[in-house]
Amino acid sequence: MTTASKTEDVKKELNQLAQGVTSTRQLMSEIVELLHERMLKYNWVGFYMLEPESRGQGPVLVLGPFSGAMTPHTRIPLNQGICGAAASSGQTVVVDDVGKDNRYLACSIETKSEIVVPVFVRGKVVGELDIDSHFPAAFKDEDRALVEYCAALVGRSLEKSPA
Ligand code: SME
């Protein structure tokens, strides 16, 4: 199966599961499990949600539902990491070789590439979907489209009913 037809199949599964969930949190949990299971190069899949002005500090990204090994990075300020870069710019960030990106916060020594896609609610970043791969340059155009599709599903769900 080509990667493009695989991502199309996974999108159909996503649409089905989006219809069966009763909360955005459940949708997020189902998305991380599905992507981790079906996309073989997606070795860690997780959401971070933006907590505004937490504990007297600036806004911080807080680890949400994830699938994969526990990460040391459970709270990430917006000026740190690939995660901070995606949330503060409101842009998808794809890093083909994390060893060459000095923004990178290491989660596992096996990670070689990463994609982070912001989640928007009414045009504002409220979180993001972060995926790590043990393979270099794992995230091609069709992967980016798939991950952006997932982030948009969550954004739409939050617009309908918060959390
Ligand atoms: N690598 C991320 C940190 C999160 S872990 O990958 C789960 C970053 O550089 O922001």
Side-chain angles (χ1 to χ4, degrees):
M1 184 184 277
T2 64
T3 314
S5 61
K6 175 76 173 279
T7 57
E8 285 312 307
D9 271 11
V10 171
K11 273 189 202 170
K12 283 181 200 145
E13 292 179 49
L14 285 161
N15 290 336
Q16 282 168 1
L17 70 83
Q19 283 169 11
V21 296
T22 54
S23 70
T24 305
R25 196 78 185 179
Q26 188 190 356
L27 176 64
M28 291 159 71
S29 299
E30 303 252 8
I31 287 174
V32 298
E33 294 302 335
L34 181 75
L35 292 182
H36 193 203
E37 186 185 305
R38 299 279 277 115
M39 303 303 290
L40 298 180
K41 292 186 178 180
Y42 295 13
N43 300 110
W44 189 94
V45 183
F47 284 95
Y48 283 91
M49 300 312 283
L50 192 59
E51 203 175 273
E53 291 303 325
S54 147
R55 300 176 190 174
Q57 301 159 354
V60 66
L61 292 158
V62 179
L63 183 64
F66 69 95
S67 182
M70 185 56 192
T71 169
H73 302 294
T74 56
R75 300 175 68 84
I76 304 176
L78 287 191
N79 61 355
Q80 287 181 24
I82 314 288
C83 286
S88 55
S89 66
Q91 309 265 331
T92 294
V93 180
V94 177
V95 178
D96 287 341
D97 178 354
V98 294
K100 290 194 179 140
D101 193 317
N102 55 21
R103 298 170 298 182
Y104 175 64
L105 296 171
C107 175
S108 147
I109 53 164
E110 289 178 298
T111 298
K112 300 288 188 298
S113 60
E114 178 162 7
I115 183 170
V116 187
V117 174
V119 172
F120 295 94
V121 167
R122 285 176 273 278
K124 279 195 163 173
V125 176
V126 297
E128 60 191 23
L129 179 50
D130 176 20
I131 305 181
D132 291 350
S133 179
H134 297 172
F135 299 83
F139 303 105
K140 313 293 186 204
D141 288 350
E142 56 271 22
D143 296 282
R144 180 188 177 121
L146 174 64
V147 184
E148 288 178 345
Y149 189 83
C150 292
L153 275 179
V154 172
R156 275 202 302 277
S157 174
L158 284 171
E159 281 173 1
K160 278 191 257 164
S161 58

